[in-house]
Amino acid sequence: MNPTNIHILLIEDNETDAILVQSDLQQAMGEQISLVHTERLDSALQLIQQQSFDLILSDLTLPDSDGVATVNRLRESAADIPIAVLSFRDDDKLAIKAIKAGAQDYLVKGSLTEGVLARVIRYSIERKRIEESNRKAQKRFQTIFEKAPLGIALINLSTGKYYDVNLKYASIVGRCLDELLGTNQSDILHPDDVFSYRSDIERFINDQSHDCCKLAKRVLRPDMSIIWIEISIAAFEIMGNGEVCHLCMIEDITESKR
């Protein structure tokens, strides 16, 4: 997007509202914007295929679409374009539904001002840019997670339960992915190392001065063979329920121990 040329698609079937929005946009952003107006969702979807837009401003009530379904259809065809909803209803529940459906903002027509529109344009585009950046970062992490030569797991240290495990991790400890996801980390260890492992983990969780730790423990495989692994643990992210997800990487160090 060129910051001096913001291309906006306005979907509005009410002629008066369309004129007011266009006027306010011109007052707010001047020559920074170019605007294409259409009255129907179907024609908007065709325009999206033909042109590149930086922002979609759409009424929720159109001749060929109504309510949150409008946002859903736009999001299906324009996944990478930020959407700001225009509505005559000052309705918090509807606004939340629109945001959950993928809109970046919800605007009540009667309360639009030049300043509000300028803010929405900039913030909606910036939020979408951040979302896209986060999506790419997540995709990069997933690729590293799946292809890394180290065993990697995402784990709840307090319970030992796995959130996710890569194939290399499963291969090192001699178990399948489904089996690991149904158990916890201490279950794969040699019985003589379980107490020391739990003590080390409890110490790490309670010690706020360290954000990572390394442990060397034995794993008892299902075939009764024993290997040594080095476990590297670091805080990764806070989950939606407040639990802390840790990144756990393991490496077979049996030969060096010998």
Side-chain angles (χ1 to χ4, degrees), residues 136-151:
K136 289 180 179 178
Q138 178 62 32
K139 187 175 181 180
R140 285 194 295 268
F141 171 78
Q142 192 63 33
T143 300
I144 294 170
F145 181 84
E146 293 172 356
K147 306 298 183 183
L150 291 174

Side-chain angles (χ1 to χ4, degrees), residues 48-75:
I48 289 168
Q49 300 303 316
Q50 299 165 2
Q51 302 181 41
S52 175
F53 293 99
D54 300 307
L55 175 67
I56 298 171
L57 288 173
S58 179
D59 188 4
L60 278 185
T61 306
L62 299 168
D64 54 347
S65 184
D66 184 63
V68 176
T70 303
V71 181
N72 289 328
R73 290 184 63 189
L74 284 170
R75 184 53 63 224

Side-chain angles (χ1 to χ4, degrees), residues 143-205:
T143 300
I144 294 170
F145 181 84
E146 293 172 356
K147 306 298 183 183
L150 291 174
I152 304 177
L154 300 177
I155 187 172
N156 180 332
L157 277 190
S158 298
T159 64
K161 292 293 183 182
Y162 297 104
Y163 293 115
D164 202 358
V165 181
N166 73 354
L167 287 172
K168 184 63 175 178
Y169 188 105
S171 174
I172 290 173
V173 300
R175 289 165 170 82
C176 65
L177 293 176
D178 289 342
E179 180 186 357
L180 287 170
L181 292 174
T183 184
N184 64 62
Q185 184 147 278
S186 62
D187 291 337
I188 70 172
L189 299 179
H190 191 285
D192 292 346
D193 284 0
V194 171
F195 179 78
S196 65
Y197 167 79
R198 289 176 175 168
S199 298
D200 290 338
I201 292 301
E202 183 177 358
R203 222 172 6 254
F204 170 62
I205 292 174

Side-chain angles (χ1 to χ4, degrees), residues 24 37 64 85 98 113 153 155 166 174 176 197 225 244:
D24 288 340
H37 172 226
D64 54 347
V85 165
T113 64
I155 187 172
N166 73 354
C176 65
Y197 167 79
S225 63
V244 179

Side-chain angles (χ1 to χ4, degrees), residues 96-132:
I96 291 171
K97 287 181 180 179
I99 298 298
K100 285 184 176 180
Q104 267 64 49
D105 218 324
Y106 182 94
L107 307 174
V108 180
K109 290 181 179 180
S111 63
L112 293 180
T113 64
E114 297 172 16
V116 168
L117 281 171
R119 174 188 62 79
V120 167
I121 290 170
R122 293 192 176 97
Y123 285 11
S124 294
I125 293 172
E126 180 63 16
R127 276 198 295 270
K128 189 61 183 178
R129 186 192 67 77
I130 292 172
E131 287 176 7
E132 181 65 14

Side-chain angles (χ1 to χ4, degrees), residues 10-33:
L10 173 63
I11 314 171
E12 173 60 74
D13 66 313
N14 185 296
E15 184 178 355
T16 301
D17 287 345
I19 292 172
L20 289 174
V21 170
Q22 291 182 64
S23 175
D24 288 340
L25 285 170
Q26 292 295 335
Q27 292 291 329
M29 305 295 291
E31 295 182 356
Q32 293 184 52
I33 67 165

